[in-house]
Amino acid sequence: MSIKLYSTLSRRKEDFETIEPGKVRMYVCGVTVYHKAHIGHAMFALVFDVIRRYLEYRGYAVRHVMNFTDVDDKIINRANQLGVNPFELAEGYIREFQQNLADLNVLPATINPRATQEIDLIIKMIEGLIEKGFAYPLDSDVYFRVDKDPDYGKLSGRRLDDMQAGARIDVDNRKENPMDFALWKASKPGEPAWDSPWGQGRPGWHIECSAMNLNHLGEQIDIHGGGNDLIFPHHENEIAQTESLTGKQFARYWVHNGMLQLSGEKMSKSLGNLVSIDDFLAKHKADSLRFLILNSGYRNPLSYSDEIVEQADRAIERLQSGLRPAEAAAAGASTQDLEDLQKQMVATRTGFEQSMDDDFNSAGALGYLFELVRVINQAHAEGATAAQLAPAQDLLKELTGVLGLQLENSRAGDQAVEPFIQLLIDLRLELRAQKLYQLSDLIRNRLLDMGVILEDGKGGTSWRFK
RNA sequence: GGCGACGUGGCCAAGUGGCAAGGCAAGGGUCUGCAAAACCCUCAUCAUGGGUUCAAAUCCCAUCGUCGCCUCCA
């Protein structure tokens, strides 16, 4: 069975076929680095991380490119406000975002190109577009001529006639068509600038992505992704530029994720309603955020609230419960239990793959993983040994890993405390044997306050970090 | 005004023609000194109104509601 994925261009699910067999060229629009990254940015990164991981699970070699826009008006404005060098400002946020992604267990992209590293190619492309009549210089700017592009609007499903140019911004009367967009922008004194045939300036927002695609993936790519707020104008313009220049179809599949919303509104820098990735990770595990995103369709909007984060925290604990070690004194599960476990393993992998093949239906896939957890726990409760649980637990680890979940219980760097915890457990065991329950409960409660949970089972007391 | 998406139990959410996955919460039970975890049981006819069909949450029409894009935006 093949993978199906929804493409914004055709507005339907399509069979996934790559240009080169077994290889995927995937470009994902990254961020403009002028501000701390928020969990909305994390969403796109997580969505495409899961897509990439699943494609690799399916045997594809994925060349994953995610760019950084490191020069633009917003960066310059903010640098001016802060009185710092715009390049240094961008560099700092790039480092921070990469650290955020690492903290979220997002695999590093194959390449992270930056707009400022592509200037030569950008200029060549603009020259090519001018030669072909798709662009025209105006003073020291260069604009793309939308009227020359017959299928302009095909991605976003708009026609030029329908668009109320200037409805919310002032029309630049110098342009041939109000919808013409900048390929090259003249710079003001003191702003970052590069030499060009049209004078000192910098690239427009859209052309950089076209250039990075061309440079790192080629004229034609398999998947082009990003948030659905980029469909228009950014991706529309990218198609227009690239296809006008090459005369070939640019991306086979356009994949867009829905927006993360906070209190009913899109989370965005301009609205000021954001939760930074750092804020989130200070209170919750990376797995929790990933679960939130996996648990709903990637194309749907996702409403963020304390309540659903709390639910995600619990759900992760539930998945972790499937990985608990067998009781030391386990007697072994019955043949029937082991058969059930075996059946569920087959059902889980099959269901997982069928769900994920269907446009990366991770919520459906999670359903099968929870069912596996239940059957593992049943066997666990029936006395399965470590060896009996291992195959199912390995499967659980493997498939949650495909989704990028870590399910780690222990906190890094805390190994040193383990002997002391064990000492307290042994002490408490003695107190309980003497029925000194007040003291034994005191130990349990105090450890809980410190984030260590004790659980008394048949085979002794086990513990885990909260 | 134009384009588009969505509306499934208290909450999140899958399912897009054939008896409504899963998670969280809640209630009951087993286990336990107690607790926690785990296990067992209970918990929805799918916004509303029409229509098509042997059969609809799933297709069509209408209504109501929520949201996104059209401007920088993941």
Short mmCIF file of all heavy atoms in Angstrom, two decimals, chain A residues 30 74 168 205 227 230 266-267 297 311 318 361 370 378 441 444 456, chain B residues 11 14-15 21-23 33-35 38-40 69-74:
data_model
loop_
_atom_site.label_atom_id
_atom_site.label_comp_id
_atom_site.label_asym_id
_atom_site.label_seq_id
_atom_site.Cartn_x
_atom_site.Cartn_y
_atom_site.Cartn_z
N GLY A 30 11.02 27.78 6.90
CA GLY A 30 11.36 27.96 8.31
C GLY A 30 10.84 29.28 8.85
O GLY A 30 9.72 29.67 8.55
N LYS A 74 11.61 43.21 9.18
CA LYS A 74 11.32 43.06 10.61
C LYS A 74 12.60 42.89 11.42
O LYS A 74 12.71 43.41 12.53
CB LYS A 74 10.41 41.85 10.83
CG LYS A 74 9.02 42.06 10.22
CD LYS A 74 8.05 40.97 10.62
CE LYS A 74 8.45 39.62 10.08
NZ LYS A 74 8.46 39.54 8.61
N ARG A 168 -6.32 46.72 2.29
CA ARG A 168 -5.85 47.03 3.64
C ARG A 168 -4.49 47.73 3.66
O ARG A 168 -4.04 48.14 4.70
CB ARG A 168 -5.74 45.75 4.45
CG ARG A 168 -7.08 45.09 4.62
CD ARG A 168 -7.04 44.21 5.82
NE ARG A 168 -8.11 43.23 5.75
CZ ARG A 168 -8.19 42.20 6.57
NH1 ARG A 168 -7.29 42.03 7.50
NH2 ARG A 168 -9.18 41.35 6.47
N TRP A 205 11.07 38.89 -0.02
CA TRP A 205 10.86 37.76 0.88
C TRP A 205 10.75 36.43 0.14
O TRP A 205 11.26 35.41 0.57
CB TRP A 205 9.60 38.02 1.71
CG TRP A 205 9.22 36.89 2.60
CD1 TRP A 205 10.07 36.03 3.25
CD2 TRP A 205 7.91 36.49 2.95
NE1 TRP A 205 9.36 35.13 3.99
CE2 TRP A 205 8.03 35.39 3.82
CE3 TRP A 205 6.63 36.97 2.63
CZ2 TRP A 205 6.91 34.76 4.36
CZ3 TRP A 205 5.54 36.34 3.17
CH2 TRP A 205 5.68 35.26 4.03
N GLY A 227 3.44 26.42 7.13
CA GLY A 227 2.15 26.73 7.75
C GLY A 227 1.16 27.20 6.70
O GLY A 227 1.56 27.75 5.67
N LEU A 230 1.06 30.58 4.99
CA LEU A 230 2.04 30.95 3.96
C LEU A 230 1.52 30.70 2.55
O LEU A 230 2.17 31.06 1.57
CB LEU A 230 3.33 30.15 4.16
CG LEU A 230 4.11 30.44 5.43
CD1 LEU A 230 5.34 29.54 5.50
CD2 LEU A 230 4.53 31.90 5.50
N LYS A 266 -5.26 32.92 16.40
CA LYS A 266 -3.97 32.44 15.95
C LYS A 266 -2.88 33.04 16.82
O LYS A 266 -2.93 34.21 17.19
CB LYS A 266 -3.74 32.88 14.50
CG LYS A 266 -2.46 32.32 13.93
CD LYS A 266 -2.29 32.66 12.46
CE LYS A 266 -1.74 34.05 12.29
NZ LYS A 266 -1.24 34.26 10.92
N MET A 267 -1.95 32.18 17.17
CA MET A 267 -0.83 32.68 17.96
C MET A 267 0.14 33.36 17.02
O MET A 267 0.62 32.77 16.06
CB MET A 267 -0.13 31.49 18.63
CG MET A 267 0.92 31.87 19.62
SD MET A 267 1.59 30.42 20.45
CE MET A 267 0.17 29.81 21.33
N GLY A 297 -5.36 16.13 13.68
CA GLY A 297 -4.91 16.17 12.30
C GLY A 297 -3.99 17.36 12.07
O GLY A 297 -4.30 18.46 12.51
N GLN A 311 -4.04 17.18 29.74
CA GLN A 311 -4.47 15.89 29.19
C GLN A 311 -3.33 15.20 28.46
O GLN A 311 -3.18 13.98 28.53
CB GLN A 311 -5.66 16.09 28.25
CG GLN A 311 -6.93 16.53 28.98
CD GLN A 311 -8.10 16.75 28.05
OE1 GLN A 311 -8.03 16.50 26.86
NE2 GLN A 311 -9.19 17.25 28.60
N ARG A 318 0.50 7.59 30.33
CA ARG A 318 -0.18 6.35 29.96
C ARG A 318 0.69 5.53 28.99
O ARG A 318 0.85 4.32 29.16
CB ARG A 318 -1.51 6.70 29.29
CG ARG A 318 -2.24 5.56 28.66
CD ARG A 318 -3.06 4.79 29.65
NE ARG A 318 -3.64 3.61 29.05
CZ ARG A 318 -3.95 2.51 29.70
NH1 ARG A 318 -3.73 2.44 31.01
NH2 ARG A 318 -4.48 1.49 29.09
N ASN A 361 -2.03 10.21 9.36
CA ASN A 361 -3.07 10.28 10.38
C ASN A 361 -2.50 9.79 11.71
O ASN A 361 -2.72 8.66 12.13
CB ASN A 361 -4.27 9.43 9.94
CG ASN A 361 -5.38 9.44 10.97
OD1 ASN A 361 -5.26 10.06 12.03
ND2 ASN A 361 -6.47 8.78 10.66
N PHE A 370 -2.09 3.02 21.91
CA PHE A 370 -2.73 2.90 23.22
C PHE A 370 -3.33 1.51 23.43
O PHE A 370 -3.34 0.99 24.55
CB PHE A 370 -3.82 3.97 23.40
CG PHE A 370 -3.27 5.33 23.76
CD1 PHE A 370 -3.33 6.39 22.86
CD2 PHE A 370 -2.70 5.55 25.00
CE1 PHE A 370 -2.84 7.64 23.21
CE2 PHE A 370 -2.19 6.80 25.36
CZ PHE A 370 -2.27 7.85 24.46
N GLN A 378 -2.05 -5.57 30.50
CA GLN A 378 -2.80 -6.76 30.90
C GLN A 378 -1.85 -7.91 31.17
O GLN A 378 -1.94 -8.59 32.20
CB GLN A 378 -3.79 -7.16 29.79
CG GLN A 378 -5.07 -6.32 29.77
CD GLN A 378 -5.87 -6.55 28.50
OE1 GLN A 378 -5.42 -7.21 27.57
NE2 GLN A 378 -7.07 -5.99 28.46
N ASP A 441 4.66 6.67 55.30
CA ASP A 441 3.92 7.61 54.45
C ASP A 441 4.63 8.95 54.36
O ASP A 441 4.59 9.63 53.33
CB ASP A 441 2.49 7.83 54.99
CG ASP A 441 1.62 6.59 54.76
OD1 ASP A 441 2.09 5.66 54.08
OD2 ASP A 441 0.48 6.57 55.26
N ARG A 444 7.20 8.63 51.73
CA ARG A 444 6.58 8.64 50.39
C ARG A 444 6.15 10.05 50.00
O ARG A 444 6.36 10.49 48.87
CB ARG A 444 5.38 7.69 50.36
CG ARG A 444 4.80 7.52 48.97
CD ARG A 444 3.77 6.41 48.92
NE ARG A 444 2.61 6.72 49.76
CZ ARG A 444 1.71 5.82 50.15
NH1 ARG A 444 1.87 4.55 49.80
NH2 ARG A 444 0.70 6.16 50.90
N ASP A 456 3.94 0.88 45.41
CA ASP A 456 4.12 -0.43 46.04
C ASP A 456 3.41 -1.49 45.21
O ASP A 456 2.20 -1.42 45.01
CB ASP A 456 3.50 -0.42 47.46
CG ASP A 456 4.20 0.61 48.34
OD1 ASP A 456 5.41 0.81 48.15
OD2 ASP A 456 3.53 1.20 49.20
P C B 11 -17.67 19.40 26.25
OP1 C B 11 -17.91 20.75 25.71
OP2 C B 11 -18.09 18.20 25.48
"O5'" C B 11 -16.13 19.25 26.59
"C5'" C B 11 -15.40 20.36 27.13
"C4'" C B 11 -13.93 19.98 27.19
"O4'" C B 11 -13.78 18.80 28.03
"C3'" C B 11 -13.31 19.58 25.87
"O3'" C B 11 -12.93 20.69 25.08
"C2'" C B 11 -12.11 18.76 26.33
"O2'" C B 11 -11.08 19.58 26.80
"C1'" C B 11 -12.72 18.01 27.51
N1 C B 11 -13.27 16.71 27.09
C2 C B 11 -12.38 15.66 26.83
O2 C B 11 -11.17 15.87 26.96
N3 C B 11 -12.86 14.46 26.45
C4 C B 11 -14.17 14.27 26.32
N4 C B 11 -14.59 13.06 25.95
C5 C B 11 -15.10 15.32 26.57
C6 C B 11 -14.63 16.50 26.94
P A B 14 -9.21 14.76 14.50
OP1 A B 14 -8.21 15.27 13.56
OP2 A B 14 -10.57 15.33 14.52
"O5'" A B 14 -9.36 13.19 14.29
"C5'" A B 14 -8.18 12.40 14.10
"C4'" A B 14 -8.54 10.94 13.99
"O4'" A B 14 -9.30 10.51 15.15
"C3'" A B 14 -9.45 10.55 12.83
"O3'" A B 14 -8.74 10.46 11.62
"C2'" A B 14 -9.91 9.16 13.29
"O2'" A B 14 -8.91 8.19 13.08
"C1'" A B 14 -10.07 9.39 14.80
N9 A B 14 -11.47 9.62 15.18
C8 A B 14 -12.09 10.77 15.54
N7 A B 14 -13.36 10.63 15.84
C5 A B 14 -13.59 9.28 15.65
C6 A B 14 -14.74 8.48 15.80
N6 A B 14 -15.92 8.95 16.19
N1 A B 14 -14.63 7.16 15.53
C2 A B 14 -13.43 6.69 15.13
N3 A B 14 -12.28 7.33 14.97
C4 A B 14 -12.43 8.65 15.24
P G B 15 -9.45 10.80 10.27
OP1 G B 15 -8.46 10.53 9.20
OP2 G B 15 -10.04 12.15 10.40
"O5'" G B 15 -10.64 9.75 10.17
"C5'" G B 15 -10.40 8.41 9.75
"C4'" G B 15 -11.64 7.58 10.02
"O4'" G B 15 -12.07 7.82 11.37
"C3'" G B 15 -12.86 7.91 9.16
"O3'" G B 15 -12.85 7.14 7.98
"C2'" G B 15 -14.01 7.45 10.05
"O2'" G B 15 -14.24 6.07 9.95
"C1'" G B 15 -13.49 7.80 11.44
N9 G B 15 -13.96 9.09 11.90
C8 G B 15 -13.28 10.28 11.88
N7 G B 15 -13.99 11.27 12.36
C5 G B 15 -15.21 10.70 12.72
C6 G B 15 -16.38 11.27 13.28
O6 G B 15 -16.57 12.44 13.61
N1 G B 15 -17.39 10.34 13.48
C2 G B 15 -17.27 9.00 13.14
N2 G B 15 -18.34 8.25 13.39
N3 G B 15 -16.19 8.45 12.62
C4 G B 15 -15.20 9.35 12.43
P A B 21 -16.48 2.28 18.13
OP1 A B 21 -16.41 0.82 17.98
OP2 A B 21 -17.00 2.86 19.37
"O5'" A B 21 -15.04 2.88 17.84
"C5'" A B 21 -14.16 3.17 18.90
"C4'" A B 21 -12.78 2.88 18.42
"O4'" A B 21 -12.47 3.78 17.33
"C3'" A B 21 -11.71 3.15 19.45
"O3'" A B 21 -11.59 2.05 20.32
"C2'" A B 21 -10.51 3.37 18.56
"O2'" A B 21 -10.04 2.15 18.02
"C1'" A B 21 -11.13 4.21 17.44
N9 A B 21 -11.11 5.63 17.77
C8 A B 21 -12.14 6.43 18.19
N7 A B 21 -11.80 7.67 18.40
C5 A B 21 -10.45 7.69 18.13
C6 A B 21 -9.49 8.71 18.17
N6 A B 21 -9.76 9.96 18.53
N1 A B 21 -8.22 8.39 17.83
C2 A B 21 -7.95 7.13 17.48
N3 A B 21 -8.76 6.08 17.39
C4 A B 21 -10.01 6.44 17.74
P G B 22 -11.68 2.29 21.87
OP1 G B 22 -11.46 0.99 22.54
OP2 G B 22 -12.88 3.10 22.17
"O5'" G B 22 -10.42 3.20 22.11
"C5'" G B 22 -9.11 2.74 21.75
"C4'" G B 22 -8.15 3.89 21.78
"O4'" G B 22 -8.50 4.85 20.75
"C3'" G B 22 -8.20 4.73 23.05
"O3'" G B 22 -7.48 4.11 24.11
"C2'" G B 22 -7.54 6.01 22.57
"O2'" G B 22 -6.16 5.86 22.41
"C1'" G B 22 -8.21 6.17 21.20
N9 G B 22 -9.48 6.90 21.35
C8 G B 22 -10.75 6.39 21.35
N7 G B 22 -11.66 7.30 21.55
C5 G B 22 -10.96 8.48 21.70
C6 G B 22 -11.41 9.81 21.95
O6 G B 22 -12.57 10.21 22.10
N1 G B 22 -10.35 10.72 22.03
C2 G B 22 -9.02 10.37 21.88
N2 G B 22 -8.15 11.37 22.00
N3 G B 22 -8.58 9.13 21.65
C4 G B 22 -9.60 8.25 21.57
P G B 23 -7.83 4.45 25.61
OP1 G B 23 -7.06 3.53 26.45
OP2 G B 23 -9.31 4.52 25.74
"O5'" G B 23 -7.26 5.91 25.80
"C5'" G B 23 -5.86 6.14 25.68
"C4'" G B 23 -5.59 7.61 25.84
"O4'" G B 23 -6.25 8.34 24.78
"C3'" G B 23 -6.15 8.24 27.10
"O3'" G B 23 -5.30 8.00 28.22
"C2'" G B 23 -6.19 9.70 26.71
"O2'" G B 23 -4.89 10.26 26.70
"C1'" G B 23 -6.69 9.60 25.27
N9 G B 23 -8.15 9.61 25.23
C8 G B 23 -9.01 8.58 24.98
N7 G B 23 -10.27 8.93 25.03
C5 G B 23 -10.24 10.28 25.33
C6 G B 23 -11.31 11.22 25.51
O6 G B 23 -12.52 11.02 25.44
N1 G B 23 -10.83 12.49 25.81
C2 G B 23 -9.49 12.81 25.93
N2 G B 23 -9.23 14.08 26.23
N3 G B 23 -8.50 11.97 25.74
C4 G B 23 -8.94 10.73 25.46
P G B 33 -1.72 -4.90 52.48
OP1 G B 33 -0.39 -5.15 53.08
OP2 G B 33 -2.68 -6.04 52.35
"O5'" G B 33 -2.45 -3.72 53.24
"C5'" G B 33 -3.25 -4.00 54.38
"C4'" G B 33 -3.41 -2.75 55.18
"O4'" G B 33 -2.13 -2.35 55.71
"C3'" G B 33 -3.86 -1.52 54.38
"O3'" G B 33 -5.27 -1.53 54.23
"C2'" G B 33 -3.40 -0.38 55.26
"O2'" G B 33 -4.26 -0.17 56.36
"C1'" G B 33 -2.06 -0.93 55.79
N9 G B 33 -0.91 -0.47 55.03
C8 G B 33 -0.05 -1.22 54.27
N7 G B 33 0.93 -0.53 53.73
C5 G B 33 0.69 0.77 54.17
C6 G B 33 1.42 1.95 53.93
O6 G B 33 2.44 2.10 53.24
N1 G B 33 0.83 3.05 54.54
C2 G B 33 -0.30 2.99 55.32
N2 G B 33 -0.70 4.15 55.82
N3 G B 33 -0.98 1.89 55.56
C4 G B 33 -0.43 0.82 54.96
P C B 34 -5.90 -1.18 52.81
OP1 C B 34 -7.36 -1.34 52.95
OP2 C B 34 -5.17 -1.94 51.78
"O5'" C B 34 -5.57 0.37 52.64
"C5'" C B 34 -6.23 1.32 53.47
"C4'" C B 34 -5.53 2.64 53.37
"O4'" C B 34 -4.13 2.50 53.72
"C3'" C B 34 -5.46 3.25 51.97
"O3'" C B 34 -6.67 3.90 51.62
"C2'" C B 34 -4.34 4.27 52.16
"O2'" C B 34 -4.78 5.43 52.83
"C1'" C B 34 -3.39 3.51 53.07
N1 C B 34 -2.29 2.88 52.31
C2 C B 34 -1.26 3.70 51.87
O2 C B 34 -1.30 4.91 52.13
N3 C B 34 -0.23 3.16 51.17
C4 C B 34 -0.23 1.85 50.90
N4 C B 34 0.80 1.37 50.22
C5 C B 34 -1.28 0.99 51.34
C6 C B 34 -2.29 1.54 52.03
P A B 35 -7.12 3.92 50.11
OP1 A B 35 -8.28 4.83 50.06
OP2 A B 35 -7.24 2.53 49.62
"O5'" A B 35 -5.87 4.59 49.36
"C5'" A B 35 -5.75 6.01 49.35
"C4'" A B 35 -4.41 6.41 48.78
"O4'" A B 35 -3.34 5.63 49.35
"C3'" A B 35 -4.19 6.23 47.29
"O3'" A B 35 -4.85 7.21 46.54
"C2'" A B 35 -2.68 6.44 47.22
"O2'" A B 35 -2.33 7.80 47.35
"C1'" A B 35 -2.22 5.69 48.48
N9 A B 35 -1.78 4.33 48.15
C8 A B 35 -2.45 3.15 48.34
N7 A B 35 -1.78 2.10 47.93
C5 A B 35 -0.60 2.63 47.44
C6 A B 35 0.54 2.04 46.85
N6 A B 35 0.66 0.72 46.67
N1 A B 35 1.54 2.86 46.47
C2 A B 35 1.40 4.16 46.67
N3 A B 35 0.38 4.84 47.20
C4 A B 35 -0.58 4.01 47.57
P A B 38 -2.27 3.85 35.05
OP1 A B 38 -1.91 4.29 33.69
OP2 A B 38 -3.53 4.32 35.67
"O5'" A B 38 -2.27 2.27 35.12
"C5'" A B 38 -1.20 1.52 34.56
"C4'" A B 38 -1.38 0.06 34.87
"O4'" A B 38 -1.32 -0.15 36.31
"C3'" A B 38 -2.74 -0.52 34.47
"O3'" A B 38 -2.77 -0.86 33.11
"C2'" A B 38 -2.81 -1.73 35.38
"O2'" A B 38 -1.98 -2.77 34.92
"C1'" A B 38 -2.25 -1.16 36.68
N9 A B 38 -3.28 -0.54 37.51
C8 A B 38 -3.58 0.79 37.61
N7 A B 38 -4.57 1.05 38.43
C5 A B 38 -4.95 -0.19 38.91
C6 A B 38 -5.95 -0.59 39.81
N6 A B 38 -6.76 0.27 40.44
N1 A B 38 -6.07 -1.91 40.06
C2 A B 38 -5.25 -2.77 39.45
N3 A B 38 -4.27 -2.50 38.57
C4 A B 38 -4.17 -1.19 38.35
P C B 39 -4.13 -0.81 32.32
OP1 C B 39 -3.81 -1.05 30.91
OP2 C B 39 -4.88 0.40 32.73
"O5'" C B 39 -4.92 -2.06 32.90
"C5'" C B 39 -4.44 -3.39 32.70
"C4'" C B 39 -5.32 -4.35 33.44
"O4'" C B 39 -5.19 -4.11 34.88
"C3'" C B 39 -6.81 -4.18 33.18
"O3'" C B 39 -7.20 -4.83 31.99
"C2'" C B 39 -7.41 -4.83 34.42
"O2'" C B 39 -7.34 -6.23 34.37
"C1'" C B 39 -6.45 -4.31 35.50
N1 C B 39 -6.90 -3.01 36.06
C2 C B 39 -7.89 -3.01 37.06
O2 C B 39 -8.35 -4.09 37.44
N3 C B 39 -8.31 -1.84 37.57
C4 C B 39 -7.78 -0.69 37.12
N4 C B 39 -8.22 0.45 37.66
C5 C B 39 -6.79 -0.65 36.11
C6 C B 39 -6.37 -1.83 35.61
P C B 40 -8.39 -4.23 31.15
OP1 C B 40 -8.40 -4.95 29.87
OP2 C B 40 -8.31 -2.75 31.18
"O5'" C B 40 -9.67 -4.65 32.00
"C5'" C B 40 -10.00 -6.02 32.18
"C4'" C B 40 -11.24 -6.13 33.01
"O4'" C B 40 -10.95 -5.67 34.36
"C3'" C B 40 -12.39 -5.23 32.56
"O3'" C B 40 -13.12 -5.81 31.50
"C2'" C B 40 -13.21 -5.15 33.85
"O2'" C B 40 -13.95 -6.33 34.07
"C1'" C B 40 -12.11 -5.04 34.89
N1 C B 40 -11.78 -3.63 35.19
C2 C B 40 -12.63 -2.92 36.04
O2 C B 40 -13.61 -3.49 36.51
N3 C B 40 -12.35 -1.63 36.33
C4 C B 40 -11.28 -1.04 35.79
N4 C B 40 -11.05 0.24 36.10
C5 C B 40 -10.40 -1.73 34.92
C6 C B 40 -10.68 -3.02 34.64
P C B 69 -5.11 34.41 9.55
OP1 C B 69 -3.72 34.62 9.99
OP2 C B 69 -6.17 35.34 9.97
"O5'" C B 69 -5.12 34.33 7.96
"C5'" C B 69 -4.20 33.50 7.27
"C4'" C B 69 -4.51 33.52 5.80
"O4'" C B 69 -5.83 32.95 5.58
"C3'" C B 69 -4.64 34.90 5.18
"O3'" C B 69 -3.38 35.49 4.92
"C2'" C B 69 -5.41 34.58 3.92
"O2'" C B 69 -4.61 33.95 2.96
"C1'" C B 69 -6.43 33.58 4.46
N1 C B 69 -7.66 34.26 4.91
C2 C B 69 -8.59 34.64 3.94
O2 C B 69 -8.34 34.40 2.74
N3 C B 69 -9.73 35.27 4.31
C4 C B 69 -9.95 35.52 5.60
N4 C B 69 -11.09 36.13 5.92
C5 C B 69 -9.02 35.15 6.61
C6 C B 69 -7.90 34.52 6.23
P C B 70 -3.27 37.05 5.04
OP1 C B 70 -1.85 37.32 4.79
OP2 C B 70 -3.91 37.57 6.26
"O5'" C B 70 -4.12 37.55 3.78
"C5'" C B 70 -3.74 37.15 2.48
"C4'" C B 70 -4.78 37.62 1.51
"O4'" C B 70 -6.07 37.09 1.85
"C3'" C B 70 -5.02 39.12 1.48
"O3'" C B 70 -4.00 39.77 0.73
"C2'" C B 70 -6.36 39.19 0.78
"O2'" C B 70 -6.23 39.04 -0.61
"C1'" C B 70 -7.07 37.97 1.37
N1 C B 70 -7.98 38.34 2.46
C2 C B 70 -9.26 38.76 2.11
O2 C B 70 -9.56 38.82 0.90
N3 C B 70 -10.14 39.11 3.09
C4 C B 70 -9.76 39.03 4.36
N4 C B 70 -10.66 39.39 5.29
C5 C B 70 -8.46 38.61 4.75
C6 C B 70 -7.61 38.27 3.77
P U B 71 -3.67 41.27 0.95
OP1 U B 71 -4.65 41.94 1.83
OP2 U B 71 -3.41 41.76 -0.41
"O5'" U B 71 -2.27 41.12 1.70
"C5'" U B 71 -1.23 42.09 1.51
"C4'" U B 71 -0.62 42.37 2.83
"O4'" U B 71 -1.63 42.93 3.69
"C3'" U B 71 -0.17 41.11 3.59
"O3'" U B 71 1.15 40.69 3.22
"C2'" U B 71 -0.27 41.51 5.05
"O2'" U B 71 0.92 42.05 5.56
"C1'" U B 71 -1.34 42.59 5.03
N1 U B 71 -2.57 42.18 5.73
C2 U B 71 -2.51 42.19 7.10
O2 U B 71 -1.49 42.45 7.70
N3 U B 71 -3.67 41.88 7.73
C4 U B 71 -4.87 41.56 7.12
O4 U B 71 -5.84 41.30 7.83
C5 U B 71 -4.85 41.55 5.69
C6 U B 71 -3.72 41.87 5.05
P C B 72 2.48 41.39 3.19
OP1 C B 72 2.28 42.78 3.60
OP2 C B 72 3.08 41.08 1.88
"O5'" C B 72 3.35 40.66 4.30
"C5'" C B 72 4.68 41.10 4.54
"C4'" C B 72 5.06 40.76 5.95
"O4'" C B 72 4.16 41.40 6.88
"C3'" C B 72 4.92 39.28 6.35
"O3'" C B 72 6.01 38.53 5.86
"C2'" C B 72 4.96 39.38 7.86
"O2'" C B 72 6.26 39.56 8.34
"C1'" C B 72 4.16 40.67 8.09
N1 C B 72 2.78 40.35 8.48
C2 C B 72 2.52 40.20 9.85
O2 C B 72 3.46 40.33 10.65
N3 C B 72 1.26 39.91 10.24
C4 C B 72 0.29 39.77 9.35
N4 C B 72 -0.92 39.48 9.79
C5 C B 72 0.53 39.92 7.96
C6 C B 72 1.79 40.21 7.57
P C B 73 5.85 36.93 5.69
OP1 C B 73 7.20 36.43 5.51
OP2 C B 73 4.88 36.77 4.61
"O5'" C B 73 5.22 36.32 7.01
"C5'" C B 73 6.05 35.63 7.96
"C4'" C B 73 5.25 35.38 9.20
"O4'" C B 73 4.13 36.27 9.18
"C3'" C B 73 4.63 33.98 9.33
"O3'" C B 73 5.33 33.12 10.21
"C2'" C B 73 3.29 34.20 9.97
"O2'" C B 73 3.27 33.88 11.34
"C1'" C B 73 3.05 35.68 9.86
N1 C B 73 1.78 35.99 9.19
C2 C B 73 0.64 36.02 9.99
O2 C B 73 0.76 35.75 11.20
N3 C B 73 -0.55 36.32 9.43
C4 C B 73 -0.61 36.60 8.13
N4 C B 73 -1.80 36.90 7.62
C5 C B 73 0.53 36.57 7.28
C6 C B 73 1.71 36.26 7.85
P A B 74 6.84 33.05 10.61
OP1 A B 74 7.20 33.65 11.89
OP2 A B 74 7.63 33.32 9.41
"O5'" A B 74 6.73 31.49 10.87
"C5'" A B 74 7.45 30.57 10.10
"C4'" A B 74 6.54 29.39 9.85
"O4'" A B 74 6.06 28.89 11.12
"C3'" A B 74 5.28 29.77 9.10
"O3'" A B 74 5.49 29.76 7.72
"C2'" A B 74 4.29 28.71 9.56
"O2'" A B 74 4.42 27.52 8.84
"C1'" A B 74 4.73 28.45 10.99
N9 A B 74 3.89 29.17 11.96
C8 A B 74 3.96 30.47 12.34
N7 A B 74 3.07 30.80 13.25
C5 A B 74 2.38 29.62 13.49
C6 A B 74 1.33 29.29 14.35
N6 A B 74 0.76 30.16 15.17
N1 A B 74 0.87 28.03 14.33
C2 A B 74 1.45 27.15 13.50
N3 A B 74 2.46 27.34 12.66
C4 A B 74 2.89 28.61 12.70
#
